mmCIF file of all heavy atoms in Angstrom:
data_model
loop_
_atom_site.group_PDB
_atom_site.id
_atom_site.type_symbol
_atom_site.label_atom_id
_atom_site.label_comp_id
_atom_site.label_asym_id
_atom_site.label_seq_id
_atom_site.Cartn_x
_atom_site.Cartn_y
_atom_site.Cartn_z
ATOM 1 N N ASN O 1 -5.587 11.158 -29.323
ATOM 2 C CA ASN O 1 -6.937 10.523 -29.075
ATOM 3 C C ASN O 1 -7.502 11.020 -27.711
ATOM 4 O O ASN O 1 -8.000 10.160 -26.987
ATOM 5 C CB ASN O 1 -6.756 9.036 -29.155
ATOM 6 C CG ASN O 1 -8.123 8.319 -29.288
ATOM 7 O OD1 ASN O 1 -9.031 8.884 -29.980
ATOM 8 N ND2 ASN O 1 -8.319 7.182 -28.646
ATOM 9 N N HIS O 2 -7.361 12.286 -27.449
ATOM 10 C CA HIS O 2 -7.933 12.810 -26.229
ATOM 11 C C HIS O 2 -7.322 12.253 -24.992
ATOM 12 O O HIS O 2 -8.072 11.923 -23.962
ATOM 13 C CB HIS O 2 -9.479 12.730 -26.183
ATOM 14 C CG HIS O 2 -10.118 13.511 -27.300
ATOM 15 N ND1 HIS O 2 -10.354 14.862 -27.155
ATOM 16 C CD2 HIS O 2 -10.553 13.124 -28.536
ATOM 17 C CE1 HIS O 2 -10.944 15.277 -28.313
ATOM 18 N NE2 HIS O 2 -11.061 14.263 -29.148
ATOM 19 N N ALA O 3 -5.986 12.006 -24.996
ATOM 20 C CA ALA O 3 -5.359 11.483 -23.804
ATOM 21 C C ALA O 3 -5.482 12.577 -22.692
ATOM 22 O O ALA O 3 -5.342 13.739 -22.978
ATOM 23 C CB ALA O 3 -3.863 11.202 -24.048
ATOM 24 N N ARG O 4 -5.762 12.096 -21.520
ATOM 25 C CA ARG O 4 -5.984 13.055 -20.413
ATOM 26 C C ARG O 4 -4.623 13.442 -19.761
ATOM 27 O O ARG O 4 -4.249 12.901 -18.726
ATOM 28 C CB ARG O 4 -6.984 12.505 -19.353
ATOM 29 C CG ARG O 4 -8.345 12.170 -20.064
ATOM 30 C CD ARG O 4 -9.427 12.042 -19.049
ATOM 31 N NE ARG O 4 -9.262 10.857 -18.181
ATOM 32 C CZ ARG O 4 -10.061 10.479 -17.200
ATOM 33 N NH1 ARG O 4 -11.172 11.308 -16.945
ATOM 34 N NH2 ARG O 4 -9.873 9.452 -16.448
ATOM 35 N N ILE O 5 -3.989 14.316 -20.433
ATOM 36 C CA ILE O 5 -2.645 14.862 -19.925
ATOM 37 C C ILE O 5 -2.800 16.410 -19.978
ATOM 38 O O ILE O 5 -2.995 16.972 -21.060
ATOM 39 C CB ILE O 5 -1.483 14.408 -20.697
ATOM 40 C CG1 ILE O 5 -1.511 12.870 -20.776
ATOM 41 C CG2 ILE O 5 -0.191 14.898 -20.175
ATOM 42 C CD1 ILE O 5 -0.345 12.307 -21.768
ATOM 43 N N VAL O 59 4.198 10.400 -25.769
ATOM 44 C CA VAL O 59 3.184 9.785 -24.977
ATOM 45 C C VAL O 59 1.793 10.192 -25.532
ATOM 46 O O VAL O 59 1.461 11.458 -25.459
ATOM 47 C CB VAL O 59 3.367 10.086 -23.548
ATOM 48 C CG1 VAL O 59 2.241 9.480 -22.710
ATOM 49 C CG2 VAL O 59 4.728 9.588 -23.086
ATOM 50 N N LYS O 60 0.972 9.317 -25.936
ATOM 51 C CA LYS O 60 -0.370 9.621 -26.447
ATOM 52 C C LYS O 60 -1.266 8.387 -26.305
ATOM 53 O O LYS O 60 -0.731 7.281 -26.207
ATOM 54 C CB LYS O 60 -0.242 10.091 -27.881
ATOM 55 C CG LYS O 60 0.365 9.093 -28.845
ATOM 56 C CD LYS O 60 0.569 9.687 -30.189
ATOM 57 C CE LYS O 60 1.777 10.713 -30.090
ATOM 58 N NZ LYS O 60 2.176 11.204 -31.377
ATOM 59 N N ALA O 61 -2.506 8.569 -26.343
ATOM 60 C CA ALA O 61 -3.459 7.455 -26.186
ATOM 61 C C ALA O 61 -3.510 6.685 -27.479
ATOM 62 O O ALA O 61 -3.296 7.237 -28.583
ATOM 63 C CB ALA O 61 -4.830 7.977 -25.765
ATOM 64 N N ASP O 62 -3.954 5.395 -27.366
ATOM 65 C CA ASP O 62 -3.998 4.547 -28.580
ATOM 66 C C ASP O 62 -5.327 4.922 -29.350
ATOM 67 O O ASP O 62 -6.442 4.853 -28.806
ATOM 68 C CB ASP O 62 -4.192 3.109 -28.055
ATOM 69 C CG ASP O 62 -4.198 2.099 -29.142
ATOM 70 O OD1 ASP O 62 -4.406 2.476 -30.365
ATOM 71 O OD2 ASP O 62 -3.968 0.888 -28.849
ATOM 72 N N PRO O 63 -5.108 5.384 -30.668
ATOM 73 C CA PRO O 63 -6.324 5.790 -31.433
ATOM 74 C C PRO O 63 -7.253 4.682 -31.762
ATOM 75 O O PRO O 63 -8.372 4.938 -32.262
ATOM 76 C CB PRO O 63 -5.665 6.440 -32.659
ATOM 77 C CG PRO O 63 -4.297 5.726 -32.762
ATOM 78 C CD PRO O 63 -3.865 5.488 -31.335
ATOM 79 N N THR O 64 -6.816 3.501 -31.516
ATOM 80 C CA THR O 64 -7.694 2.267 -31.847
ATOM 81 C C THR O 64 -8.661 1.948 -30.616
ATOM 82 O O THR O 64 -9.557 1.206 -30.760
ATOM 83 C CB THR O 64 -6.983 0.980 -32.129
ATOM 84 O OG1 THR O 64 -6.276 0.604 -31.034
ATOM 85 C CG2 THR O 64 -6.027 1.267 -33.290
ATOM 86 N N PRO O 66 -11.252 3.472 -27.230
ATOM 87 C CA PRO O 66 -12.202 4.542 -26.971
ATOM 88 C C PRO O 66 -11.422 5.825 -26.537
ATOM 89 O O PRO O 66 -10.331 5.671 -26.070
ATOM 90 C CB PRO O 66 -13.057 3.936 -25.889
ATOM 91 C CG PRO O 66 -12.980 2.501 -26.064
ATOM 92 C CD PRO O 66 -11.533 2.238 -26.482
ATOM 93 N N PHE O 68 -10.266 8.925 -24.248
ATOM 94 C CA PHE O 68 -9.847 9.021 -22.833
ATOM 95 C C PHE O 68 -9.305 7.599 -22.323
ATOM 96 O O PHE O 68 -9.703 7.172 -21.273
ATOM 97 C CB PHE O 68 -10.906 9.474 -21.920
ATOM 98 C CG PHE O 68 -11.638 10.769 -22.445
ATOM 99 C CD1 PHE O 68 -12.939 10.767 -22.815
ATOM 100 C CD2 PHE O 68 -10.870 11.913 -22.585
ATOM 101 C CE1 PHE O 68 -13.531 11.890 -23.299
ATOM 102 C CE2 PHE O 68 -11.483 13.104 -23.081
ATOM 103 C CZ PHE O 68 -12.791 12.953 -23.446
ATOM 104 N N ASP O 69 -8.577 6.943 -23.142
ATOM 105 C CA ASP O 69 -8.024 5.664 -22.808
ATOM 106 C C ASP O 69 -6.849 5.876 -21.888
ATOM 107 O O ASP O 69 -5.654 6.133 -22.309
ATOM 108 C CB ASP O 69 -7.618 4.862 -24.043
ATOM 109 C CG ASP O 69 -6.911 3.610 -23.713
ATOM 110 O OD1 ASP O 69 -7.269 2.936 -22.682
ATOM 111 O OD2 ASP O 69 -5.874 3.284 -24.419
ATOM 112 N N ASP O 70 -7.077 5.793 -20.535
ATOM 113 C CA ASP O 70 -5.995 6.069 -19.607
ATOM 114 C C ASP O 70 -4.922 4.939 -19.533
ATOM 115 O O ASP O 70 -3.733 5.148 -19.239
ATOM 116 C CB ASP O 70 -6.563 6.312 -18.211
ATOM 117 C CG ASP O 70 -7.388 7.530 -18.067
ATOM 118 O OD1 ASP O 70 -7.070 8.489 -18.785
ATOM 119 O OD2 ASP O 70 -8.180 7.631 -17.143
ATOM 120 N N SER O 72 -3.333 3.363 -21.784
ATOM 121 C CA SER O 72 -2.185 3.451 -22.752
ATOM 122 C C SER O 72 -1.236 4.531 -22.339
ATOM 123 O O SER O 72 -0.044 4.435 -22.733
ATOM 124 C CB SER O 72 -2.717 3.747 -24.134
ATOM 125 O OG SER O 72 -3.384 5.053 -24.170
ATOM 126 N N ILE O 73 -1.588 5.438 -21.510
ATOM 127 C CA ILE O 73 -0.576 6.473 -21.081
ATOM 128 C C ILE O 73 -0.075 6.262 -19.632
ATOM 129 O O ILE O 73 0.883 6.865 -19.201
ATOM 130 C CB ILE O 73 -1.223 7.853 -21.118
ATOM 131 C CG1 ILE O 73 -2.433 8.040 -20.219
ATOM 132 C CG2 ILE O 73 -1.632 8.199 -22.578
ATOM 133 C CD1 ILE O 73 -2.976 9.455 -20.076
#
Side-chain angles (χ1 to χ4, degrees):
N1 197 36
H2 296 277
R4 300 198 293 179
I5 305 175
V59 177
K60 58 191 72 176
D62 185 346
T64 67
F68 312 116
D69 173 38
D70 289 336
S72 60
I73 63 173

